Amino acid sequence: LPIGERLARRIVDGNKKGLEADVDEALGAGMKALDIVNEHLLGGMQVVGELFGSGQMQLPFVLQSAEVMKSAVALLEPHMEKIGGETTKGTIVLATVRGDVHDIGKNLVDIILTNNGYKVVNIGIKQPISAMIEAAEEHDADVIGMSGLLVKSTVVMKENLEELAARGLAERWPVLLGGAALTRTYVEDDLAGLFPGTVRYARDAFEGLRLMEPLVR
Ligand code: B1M
């Protein structure tokens, strides 16, 4: 198999043995670290999701795939382009919402934003809105970013916005939402219609990056 397909296969198979050599080979062949993630590793993860969703893959194997994904991203991260500079362009508190453990996407967002000059306060998974507010206050954040992959998490995000509004904090932090169960219309029509502040949807980490500039005021 060509190296890109081999890497995708590793994610599907949850096979970490020899991963580093394959990553080196891909980089040595002139592939860009981010392209390896986007074009090959995420494709593998997509297949895992389909197999799991259709009952052809059991959860422990999904977990193994996630481990390989995380290791591959960790190996590639030092090879990603970074913009230098002393000052940060702004600060975002980033969390996976209450009840949700999925963090691969959130951590990719962290890497992309950090590499592009933002300060990211990544407070982890299963975070209640109170923890996001606390971190945003402590770090004087410009934006609160929430990730969640479960359908249930889209409801939690709505509740979180309601909580921000109820506490009079809707205008204080614009909110960036991302994760596979969300849709643009759900966020930008339904949620935005309920929330007195600003809430935006990012389909992927790069849209998240593009949205940061207008959100940081
Ligand atoms: Co879970 N899981 N999982 N899982 N898992 C999904 C999400 C699922 C769609 C699989 C399926 O059924 N086909 C399904 C959800 C169904 C639903 O809600 N209707 C599901 C389920 C059911 C579950 C469990 C409930 C299974 C169980 O226990 N029976 C359980 C949930 C536990 C919990 O959260 N309480 C569970 C557990 C797990 C593992 C632990 C095994 C593992 C996660 C490991 C980890 O993250 N540390 C896992 C995995 C790996 C997946 C799939 C296969 C892959 C997710 C992933 O990492 N994708 C997933 C299927 C799928 O999504 N196709 C699935 C790659 C990642 C880069 O994409 O996170 O979407 P994503 O991020 C993208 C964008 O969404 C965006 O940028 C990224 C790309 O650039 N983005 C943002 C994300 N967050 C953003 C935030 C932003 C901006 C952009 O700004 C703030």
Side-chain angles (χ1 to χ4, degrees), residues 37-38 41-55 57-67 69-70 73 92-110 112-113 125-126 143-154 157 175-182 200-209 211-212:
V37 173
N38 286 324
L41 302 179
L42 287 185
M45 211 41 158
Q46 189 66 37
V47 174
V48 171
E50 283 157 18
L51 290 173
F52 178 60
S54 63
M57 190 189 260
Q58 299 303 311
L59 199 61
F61 296 98
V62 180
L63 198 54
Q64 270 184 35
S65 295
E67 290 303 325
M69 178 78 192
K70 286 191 168 192
V73 171
I92 181 170
V93 166
L94 197 57
T96 301
V97 298
R98 171 167 56 80
D100 196 325
V101 303
H102 297 89
D103 66 353
I104 294 173
K106 167 182 68 64
N107 293 340
L108 272 180
V109 173
D110 181 346
I112 304 288
L113 295 184
I125 60 171
K126 295 207 244 177
V143 178
I144 292 180
M146 303 179 201
S147 179
L149 265 64
L150 301 171
V151 169
K152 197 178 67 186
S153 299
T154 64
M157 287 176 184
V175 177
L176 185 63
L177 300 180
L182 290 169
R200 300 299 303 274
Y201 168 71
R203 200 181 66 86
D204 57 28
F206 297 100
E207 187 171 11
L209 174 62
L211 285 170
M212 280 300 283

Side-chain angles (χ1 to χ4, degrees), residues 83-91 113-119 142:
I83 67 148
E86 298 286 296
T87 54
T88 75
K89 293 197 223 160
T91 301
L113 295 184
T114 302
N115 286 349
N116 285 281
Y118 291 96
K119 179 178 163 192
D142 301 290

Side-chain angles (χ1 to χ4, degrees), residues 133 137 161-173 195-196:
I133 292 171
E137 267 163 357
L161 294 177
E162 285 164 355
E163 177 77 18
L164 281 170
R167 292 205 203 176
L169 295 170
E171 318 281 341
R172 172 111 183 247
W173 297 289
F195 189 57

Side-chain angles (χ1 to χ4, degrees), residues 1-12 22 31 39-40 44:
L1 283 181
I3 184 63
E5 283 174 43
R6 231 187 298 148
L7 283 166
R9 192 43 32 222
R10 284 186 171 284
I11 303 294
V12 179
D22 275 3
M31 292 165 78
E39 286 161 27
H40 304 293

